[in-house]
Amino acid sequence: MSENGNAVKPPALVVCGLRKDYGDDTVVSDFDFEVADGEFVTLLGSSGSGKTTTLMMVAGLVEPTGGTIEIAGQPVTGVPPQRRNIGMMFQSYALFPHLTVFDNVAFPLKRRRFPKAEISKLVIESLERMQLEGFGHRYPAQLSGGQQQRVALARATAYEPPLLLMDEPLSALDRNLRRSLQDELKRFHRTLRTAILYVTHDQEEALSLSDRVILMTEGRVAQVGTPQEIYQSPRSLFVARFLGESNALKGEVASCKGGEAVVKLRNGQVVGGTCSEPLPAGSQVVVVIRPENLMAEANDADGDGIAISVEEISFLGESVRCRGTFATSEPCTLMVGPDHASELSVGATRRVRWEPSKAVVLPGDT
Amino acid sequence: MARKLLWVVAAIVGLISIAPALIVIPYAFSESGFLDFPPGWGGWQWFEKVLDDPTWGEAAMRSLKVALIATGIASVFGTAAAYALVRARPRFSGMIVGLLVLPMVVPIIIFALGSFALGSDLGLVGSIWTLAIAHAALGLPFVLLNVRASLQLVDPSLERAARSLGAGPLSAFGRVTLPLILPGVLSGAVLAFVLSFDEPVVALFLSQDTDPTLPVKLFQTIRLALEPTVAAVSVMLLILGIAGAALWWVTVRFGQRRLRAAAASVPEGV
Ligand SMILES: Nc1ncnc2c1ncn2[C@@H]1O[C@H](COP(=O)(O)OP(=O)(O)OP(=O)(O)O)[C@@H](O)[C@H]1O
Ligand SMILES: [Mg+2]
């Protein structure tokens, strides 16, 4: 990066070999990642996977057992939180209840000893950006959940930190409000281009907001990539299962070359898929296909595809979900557009096909 | 009907609890030099006598000094202890609380005797500082318990937020946590103050006969003769006490409102 000269800013965050032990419990280990300047990166993982701990270590509120952290090119080992110049948003928003909205937003500016005139200018600008004009004199208790979130965001960004940390800022809200605040957050990120490290256990939220997603499990990285990469090319069964729904068909590699694998399923049928690494013939694998990539057709057609028996059909509005069982007696889920729904009926037998490029063959047998 | 009964019971209980305090009022205006019944009307003479005698004023000042020092020590250490217990959650926190609250449960005479033994071993009996420290130990439980209760209502992430926003550890405590627990600190401090200001037993052991605190002076005077001056002092203290109670009520009211606001600012579902 540095050879490009001064045009490129250092990454907002570089984490290297991060580790945290609580007594004998290792909560985070071998954790490496980067957040580029202006990038929106999400730590996604189930409860207890170490997301908050990682964020707290970046903020300096929890001391790492090992590893290094750099913020905007500066190593911050041993630097106390108040000197790391980061913005942070908490799940509970952590607005100061005894201060007005204005004083909440002014708090970080006062700590940085900005001149008084500049403080009120920046606070007013910040409140305007969050569409909170006229709320300056209110107390946090007099605001709605969405307004409180915007105050927290205004407070964390009033001093334009190079890095913004957010720990599940939307998880306490109801679904509709969450949607609209996600949109707002996206717009905010587009206009400000502050690097954001975001924590959530909601996969939909992670996929829709982020430039890149870091999927965590038990304190380690399971996979890093853009939402599309992670969703379409999971590199392990864990990732495939964690993100969205998927169909899993166990089998044995018949042949594998050039990233294309042919797999013999348990019922003897042979299907195709893609693989990211060469797989030895005869090894146990699982073919993973997303429900929306399965195409259903009448069972009379001979040729490729495997039979399913349809057991349940539910209408979801923009699509129809159908559950059933593959001929291999493994469970099957498919999603079709409402136009195709008429072809399915409970109790019927149908045949499903998929493009081999849309199926991922992963080593393992569970 | 039940409501009326409740009022009657409340009135009786109230009367019983303040009657001993009110009964001294007529004697403060007594005609004769003894606590005779009926006291008659002797005007303000006993008040004048108290105000003319400098030793009463000195005793009151001494008590005030002791109580202020004791309150200061109890407030600072009680708040610090409560903070450590609630935020750091040490392993034996229940036991530590029990230990710190001990002066509240140990019979006062035992506590006084212990303080005296310790103080005389160290050659510290007779100093108002020694008495203030002993009183601080008595007042600390009130601060500790009050502050602990308010601290448990304060979201710990507020202080973390303050740190992330650029405040050092002391500044984060002073600007965010302290204002939110201040009502608890204040009501604990008021209780510690009152406790020290009219505490006679420990004071009797730890002060010299020649410079007593106010409660000790009252006790000395009663022992010599039952003069209406004692009643006059009591009336003055009663008035101060009522003023103090009013102040306490105001802080509690204020505190409740603030804590309720703090609780309400956490979004629903958390
Ligand atoms: N102070 C602590 N002492 C001991 N263990 C801790 C401490 N803080 C966290 N842990 C443990 O570390 C693990 C990771 O916790 P963390 O809060 O980082 O999870 P998370 O991914 O944020 O989960 P969630 O989605 O539920 O917020 C958990 O198993 C937790 O019990
Ligand atoms: Mg968490």
Side-chain angles (χ1 to χ4, degrees):
Chain A
M1 272 202 182
S2 52
E3 63 261 29
N4 283 10
N6 42 16
V8 177
K9 279 205 205 165
L13 176 68
V14 181
V15 168
C16 212
L18 197 63
R19 180 188 181 90
K20 178 69 193 176
D21 299 332
Y22 283 112
D24 290 338
D25 286 348
T26 299
V27 172
V28 173
S29 63
D30 302 322
F31 207 47
D32 302 287
F33 68 93
E34 241 186 67
V35 179
D37 183 47
E39 196 183 18
F40 195 128
V41 174
T42 297
L43 293 175
L44 174 65
S46 50
S47 186
S49 56
K51 306 177 299 287
T52 299
T53 307
T54 304
L55 211 64
M56 291 294 177
M57 288 194 279
V58 173
L61 295 164
V62 166
E63 177 121 15
T65 311
T68 57
I69 298 170
E70 270 179 37
I71 294 172
Q74 301 292 316
V76 292
T77 309
V79 176
Q82 71 269 23
R83 280 199 234 110
R84 294 196 175 193
N85 200 30
I86 40 144
M88 187 154 184
M89 253 179 91
F90 293 78
Q91 181 173 0
S92 58
Y93 305 146
L95 296 177
F96 305 134
H98 60 300
L99 299 180
T100 60
V101 166
F102 187 97
D103 288 333
N104 263 281
V105 179
F107 188 93
L109 303 170
K110 284 183 184 159
R111 301 290 82 72
R112 285 169 173 72
R113 304 192 192 291
F114 279 45
K116 213 166 181 170
E118 186 158 1
I119 290 179
S120 36
K121 192 183 124 238
L122 285 172
V123 172
I124 288 165
E125 269 174 24
S126 205
L127 290 179
E128 264 170 18
R129 194 161 53 222
M130 297 297 155
Q131 293 154 9
L132 286 166
E133 302 98 327
F135 285 93
H137 61 279
R138 291 222 203 164
Y139 283 90
Q142 301 165 322
L143 301 175
S144 74
Q147 288 163 343
Q148 289 183 21
Q149 195 229 13
R150 295 207 296 264
V151 176
L153 198 52
R155 185 179 68 175
T157 53
Y159 47 102
E160 299 187 359
L163 177 64
L164 197 53
L165 308 176
M166 301 190 181
D167 193 355
E168 313 210 19
L170 307 180
S171 66
L173 306 170
D174 68 57
R175 204 181 161 77
N176 287 333
L177 188 54
R178 202 154 71 211
R179 273 277 162 74
S180 79
L181 292 177
Q182 282 173 8
D183 290 343
E184 231 167 81
L185 208 57
K186 251 180 162 166
R187 189 165 38 94
F188 165 82
H189 179 245
R190 258 201 316 276
T191 47
L192 234 75
R193 299 305 314 173
T194 304
I196 294 178
L197 181 60
Y198 190 91
V199 161
T200 182
H201 63 252
D202 178 337
Q203 33 148 321
E204 238 176 83
E205 192 170 296
L207 295 180
S208 80
L209 288 174
S210 328
D211 296 326
R212 277 192 308 143
V213 175
I214 300 170
L215 187 58
M216 285 181 81
T217 174
E218 290 168 2
R220 291 162 189 273
V221 178
Q223 190 170 343
V224 183
T226 63
Q228 288 89 335
E229 277 166 6
I230 292 212
Y231 185 77
Q232 283 165 4
S233 335
R235 260 198 261 117
S236 65
L237 276 172
F238 169 80
V239 177
R241 295 232 169 86
F242 192 89
L243 281 180
E245 283 183 298
S246 54
N247 294 288
L249 289 162
K250 290 176 199 170
E252 206 178 275
V253 178
S255 71
C256 168
K257 59 172 189 288
E260 283 177 27
V262 176
V263 177
K264 195 169 142 215
L265 299 181
R266 291 206 300 209
N267 67 346
Q269 266 190 291
V270 168
V271 296
T274 58
C275 54
S276 54
E277 51 187 305
L279 298 163
S283 62
Q284 299 294 310
V285 291
V286 179
V287 183
V288 173
I289 316 120
R290 296 289 179 193
E292 64 274 23
N293 291 331
L294 283 179
M295 294 169 288
E297 25 186 77
N299 196 24
D300 49 58
D302 41 18
D304 53 341
I306 60 176
I308 61 162
S309 59
V310 177
E311 282 154 14
E312 192 189 309
I313 296 173
S314 29
F315 181 66
L316 302 177
E318 73 267 40
S319 62
V320 173
R321 187 222 303 275
C322 161
R323 284 185 188 283
T325 308
F326 284 112
T328 61
S329 59
E330 285 156 308
C332 162
T333 306
L334 63 146
M335 289 278 209
V336 294
D339 322 344
H340 297 281
S342 54
E343 291 165 20
L344 298 165
S345 56
V346 174
T349 303
R350 288 287 179 273
R351 185 167 282 271
V352 291
R353 277 193 314 117
W354 60 86
E355 298 285 335
S357 65
K358 297 274 173 71
V360 183
V361 181
L362 297 168
D365 57 0
T366 42
Chain B
M1 183 60 207
R3 227 182 132 78
K4 261 185 202 152
L5 197 70
L6 198 68
W7 271 108
V8 172
V9 172
I12 292 172
V13 171
L15 206 63
I16 290 173
S17 51
I18 57 170
L22 297 182
I23 208 88
V24 301
I25 296 176
Y27 289 107
F29 301 94
S30 178
E31 217 177 340
S32 81
F34 302 97
L35 295 183
D36 283 338
F37 188 83
W41 176 254
W44 296 88
Q45 53 170 320
W46 304 112
F47 288 89
E48 278 158 21
K49 193 171 173 205
V50 168
L51 292 176
D52 284 344
D53 180 354
T55 61
W56 281 111
E58 282 160 19
M61 278 314 288
R62 205 168 289 122
S63 275
L64 187 67
K65 251 189 236 167
V66 169
L68 285 177
I69 298 168
T71 304
I73 297 173
S75 303
V76 170
F77 285 87
T79 304
Y83 187 77
L85 285 167
V86 175
R87 287 291 191 257
R89 293 167 198 272
R91 205 170 301 175
F92 302 106
S93 84
M95 229 162 83
I96 296 171
V97 173
L99 221 65
L100 289 171
V101 171
L102 218 51
M104 212 158 106
V105 266
V106 169
I108 191 74
I109 190 79
I110 306 289
F111 183 86
L113 207 61
S115 326
F116 177 73
L118 192 65
S120 55
D121 280 352
L122 299 170
L124 293 172
V125 170
S127 144
I128 63 165
W129 284 92
T130 311
L131 179 57
I133 289 169
H135 277 176
L138 287 178
L140 188 130
F142 293 96
V143 178
L144 176 75
L145 296 178
N146 268 299
V147 174
R148 194 173 67 145
S150 1
L151 206 51
Q152 272 157 349
L153 294 176
V154 176
D155 179 359
S157 63
L158 291 180
E159 218 169 292
R160 273 184 241 135
R163 298 294 308 278
S164 78
L165 292 167
L170 278 179
S171 156
F173 175 78
R175 290 174 197 283
V176 175
T177 307
L178 190 58
L180 293 170
I181 59 170
L182 200 59
V185 178
L186 287 182
S187 50
V190 168
L191 290 172
F193 180 88
V194 171
L195 189 103
S196 166
F197 194 75
D198 53 47
E199 195 291 318
V201 183
V202 179
L204 201 58
F205 276 82
L206 288 183
S207 56
Q208 268 150 3
D209 288 354
T210 47
D211 32 65
T213 60
L214 196 56
V216 172
K217 169 111 177 127
L218 280 167
F219 183 67
Q220 287 172 343
T221 313
I222 291 169
R223 246 189 348 179
L224 287 176
L226 276 180
E227 230 189 20
T229 43
V230 176
V233 173
S234 305
V235 168
M236 294 188 211
L237 287 177
L238 199 64
I239 290 167
L240 279 179
I242 289 168
L247 188 74
W248 193 70
W249 183 76
V250 168
T251 51
V252 169
R253 277 285 294 230
F254 179 64
Q256 275 172 349
R257 194 154 9 111
R258 188 175 270 197
L259 286 177
R260 215 173 303 130
S265 77
V266 176
E268 294 140 61
V270 175

